[in-house]
Amino acid sequence: MMFSRNTLLAAAAAFYGASSVSAFAPSTAVGNAVSRSSPAIYTQQTASRQYSSTKLNMASSVDLKGKVAFIAGVADSSGYGWAISRALADAGATIIVGTWPPVLKIFQAGLKKGSFDSDSELSDGSKMVIEKVYPLDAVFDSPDDVPDEIKNNKRYSGLDGYTIEEVAKAVEADYGKIDILVHSLANGPEVTKPLLETSRKGYLAASSASAYSAVSLLQKFGPIMNEGGNMLSLTYIASEKVIPGYGGGMSSAKAQLESDTRTLAYEAGRKWGVRVNTISAGPLKSRAASAIGKEPGQKTFIEYAIDYSKANAPLAQDLYNDDVGNAGMFLSSPLARTVTGVTLYVDNGLHAMGMAIDSESMSDRNQ
């Protein structure tokens, strides 16, 4: 299957916040799926939610009451960070989040207005409550790392305490210990550039924002995590397979994230008794991905990606944000008490395929 280079580049840019150069944006590579539910498994939500998820509930078998979960990178209801938060809340966990400062006020206003209520519904009919929202820019480890251009930026006006170190201290002051840490963040300022055209600065920025930020989060939050807790991040198949258009060093950053997951699993396990895992999710029709302009007479990139997955994955079925949310809940629960250092694929098995069975070269065999 062939895509135009412009379509691929635009898709990658929309996926990973290429417009955010100096700061750290929440990952929008994934989001809510169009509701096409299987009546045997899913309960359809209201028809007005065009990009609403379906409810695939396993919270009844998991009890996270009394557990505190900090999710870094939530700024709306369209990402996997939100889906994981909702799944954890459905199991009884207390939800607190870190939000990129430039969109903090918009997110808080949306919460206050009830803009996300329809996406907050839990299995018992109640609404997910986000107990507290902290400003968080995860490219800065401590106050000394924040340059004057950020301090004087109007989008950061009136805000302080948004470095990872400061947020960890604030969470400790408010909640004491936490049990679950979720890294739902990624940014590559040169993601639209092929690797051969990526600058050193752009490459290192992608690595800093998308990979080292997870290391720093665990460094600062690990000491306030209860034994048996879990850190979870989100990765992408470009870490190990070539995805044309996913440039700017982002594929390298995801490979780093997965490698660091294994090393941190050992180090954090021995030091704090904390588990460390990551989820590699398949293509999902999010709001951000659906907004990508398509080439005349062609589908959008995400539509191609979903169709490609259905045509080639072992399981030819839709992927929903709740699938990833529930996988995150499982990994964060006592059910996974012996699971650590794992990259869990939630992609209908697409990662296992080495050949595109819908390829033109396979056309005679497929007939």
Side-chain angles (χ1 to χ4, degrees):
M1 179 177 61
M2 301 295 293
F3 306 129
S4 75
R5 184 172 183 272
N6 290 339
T7 300
L8 288 165
L9 296 180
F15 278 6
Y16 285 93
S19 61
S20 302
V21 176
S22 63
F24 193 80
S27 171
T28 55
V30 289
N32 290 339
V34 174
S35 294
R36 291 174 292 186
S37 55
S38 169
I41 302 177
Y42 300 103
T43 302
Q44 181 102 18
Q45 298 301 296
T46 57
S48 62
R49 294 165 59 190
Q50 182 182 4
Y51 293 100
S52 67
S53 66
T54 53
K55 289 293 184 66
L56 175 59
N57 176 36
M58 62 175 283
S60 59
S61 62
V62 175
D63 184 3
L64 296 179
K65 293 182 180 66
K67 306 295 185 182
V68 178
F70 178 79
I71 298 89
V74 176
D76 58 30
S77 63
S78 68
Y80 278 156
W82 180 277
I84 293 170
S85 300
R86 188 175 59 197
L88 295 172
D90 213 17
T94 296
I95 304 300
I96 55 178
V97 306
T99 300
W100 190 43
V103 297
L104 177 66
K105 292 181 180 179
I106 296 173
F107 180 54
Q108 289 176 321
L111 288 173
K112 187 175 182 180
K113 289 167 54 179
S115 301
F116 311 121
D117 281 358
S118 61
D119 293 324
S120 301
E121 187 174 340
L122 304 180
S123 59
D124 63 0
S126 64
K127 304 290 185 183
M128 175 178 69
V129 175
I130 296 178
E131 295 285 346
K132 189 164 184 177
V133 181
Y134 298 84
L136 172 66
D137 194 324
V139 296
F140 305 123
D141 301 320
S142 67
D144 291 339
D145 297 328
V146 183
D148 288 339
E149 64 182 287
I150 293 296
K151 294 177 183 178
N152 299 326
N153 190 311
K154 65 180 181 180
R155 296 193 296 175
Y156 289 74
S157 177
L159 296 176
D160 56 20
Y162 46 78
T163 67
I164 295 175
E165 178 183 277
E166 292 170 298
V167 174
K169 289 179 179 178
V171 169
E172 182 180 19
D174 293 338
Y175 294 92
K177 295 275 190 175
I178 68 170
D179 304 275
I180 300 164
L181 177 64
V182 180
H183 176 275
S184 181
L185 302 156
N187 185 42
E190 296 183 16
V191 69
T192 59
K193 293 183 179 181
L195 190 56
L196 280 173
E197 298 175 13
T198 299
S199 70
R200 181 184 297 270
K201 181 179 180 180
Y203 184 97
L204 294 177
S207 176
S208 171
S210 307
Y212 185 77
S213 56
V215 176
S216 183
L217 274 174
L218 190 54
Q219 283 180 353
K220 305 302 189 296
F221 279 86
I224 66 168
M225 292 185 72
N226 286 313
E227 185 175 354
N230 180 65
M231 178 185 178
L232 179 68
S233 64
L234 293 164
T235 185
Y236 182 48
I237 194 64
S239 63
E240 56 187 278
K241 304 288 176 64
V242 178
I243 306 295
Y246 191 75
M250 279 302 302
S251 57
S252 306
K254 289 302 184 181
Q256 293 168 29
L257 181 64
E258 293 178 19
S259 178
D260 291 344
T261 294
R262 295 184 287 273
T263 302
L264 292 173
Y266 167 72
E267 294 182 1
R270 291 302 181 95
K271 189 169 187 176
W272 300 305
V274 169
R275 297 177 294 108
V276 183
N277 295 291
T278 189
I279 291 176
S280 183
L284 190 69
K285 193 172 184 180
S286 68
R287 291 186 180 96
S290 299
I292 299 170
K294 62 181 180 180
E295 298 291 324
Q298 295 183 2
K299 295 177 289 188
T300 62
F301 172 83
I302 194 61
E303 289 170 334
Y304 276 120
I306 291 172
D307 290 345
Y308 180 85
S309 179
K310 279 191 171 184
N312 294 285
L315 299 175
Q317 61 183 9
D318 292 321
L319 176 72
Y320 296 94
N321 66 347
D322 286 334
D323 294 313
V324 172
N326 285 317
M329 179 177 63
F330 161 72
L331 288 173
S332 302
S333 78
L335 294 176
R337 60 179 293 273
T338 61
V339 180
T340 193
V342 165
T343 297
L344 179 64
Y345 298 94
V346 184
D347 64 353
N348 286 317
L350 184 62
H351 70 279
M353 300 301 295
M355 179 179 288
I357 60 176
D358 67 341
S359 169
E360 291 183 7
S361 62
M362 296 285 289
S363 58
D364 290 343
R365 185 180 180 87
N366 292 333
Q367 289 177 357

